[in-house]
Amino acid sequence: MPPGVAFASGHFTAENIITKTTRSGDLVGVFHDEAAWRALPAGTTIYQVEMLPSPDGEGELFVGTTHLNPGRVGDEFYMTRGHFHQRREQGEVYFGLRGSGLLLLQSEQGEARFEQVSQGSVHIIPGNTAHRLINTGSEVLSALAVWPTIAGHDYASLAQGFALRVFLWEGEIQARGVQYG
């Protein structure tokens, strides 16, 4: 029997699922308001990733689901760490399963844009593009992703963060550019 995914919850129905939990304490430097981040208990789960086991190598694919909890650090919505691929030319595909939020896409030159993520949305992430999920809703945001096993993750290139951040400001969801330096 092949693995399956329960689309209503985004959880896999398979044996040997690999699970990784990212807690607030793992996200040093990710949120803009450092004081609000420090006030959050370090063990607070921000997101969890489930992956199906996959062989490694050229032509092989990973399949995983990210479950991003609702919440904010200060006025900034919960988000994934975000990354480029080590092999920059490698792309990725996201499928919105449940919840609502944004996919932040950014070029190596710092040009950034958003795509709305919701149940049934499909997102083609081209090579040379950093990506991050942001949960702007009130329930878990789940997205299934498919990417080459050879792609790798490069978090270091985004040590200064993404060019845009998403906040709840005066009751409205707003994106703001970030000045570094």
Side-chain angles (χ1 to χ4, degrees), residues 49-129:
V49 176
E50 294 178 19
M51 289 178 56
L52 297 175
S54 187
D56 217 2
E58 198 73 45
E60 302 293 344
L61 297 172
F62 281 129
V63 178
T65 303
T66 298
H67 305 284
L68 178 56
N69 287 327
R72 293 190 310 274
V73 174
D75 292 329
E76 190 172 18
F77 289 97
Y78 279 8
M79 62 188 140
T80 60
R81 180 182 304 277
H83 61 271
F84 280 104
H85 288 150
Q86 284 177 332
R87 298 245 330 242
R88 290 286 199 273
E89 78 283 2
Q90 301 296 313
E92 191 164 347
V93 180
Y94 278 15
F95 303 91
L97 298 177
R98 68 174 171 161
S100 61
L102 298 168
L103 174 61
L104 173 54
L105 302 167
Q106 181 172 306
S107 71
E108 290 182 283
Q109 293 74 38
E111 298 162 352
R113 65 184 175 88
F114 295 105
E115 292 184 2
Q116 190 74 37
V117 180
S118 60
Q119 183 180 18
S121 64
V122 178
H123 309 272
I124 309 296
I125 303 168
N128 303 300
T129 305

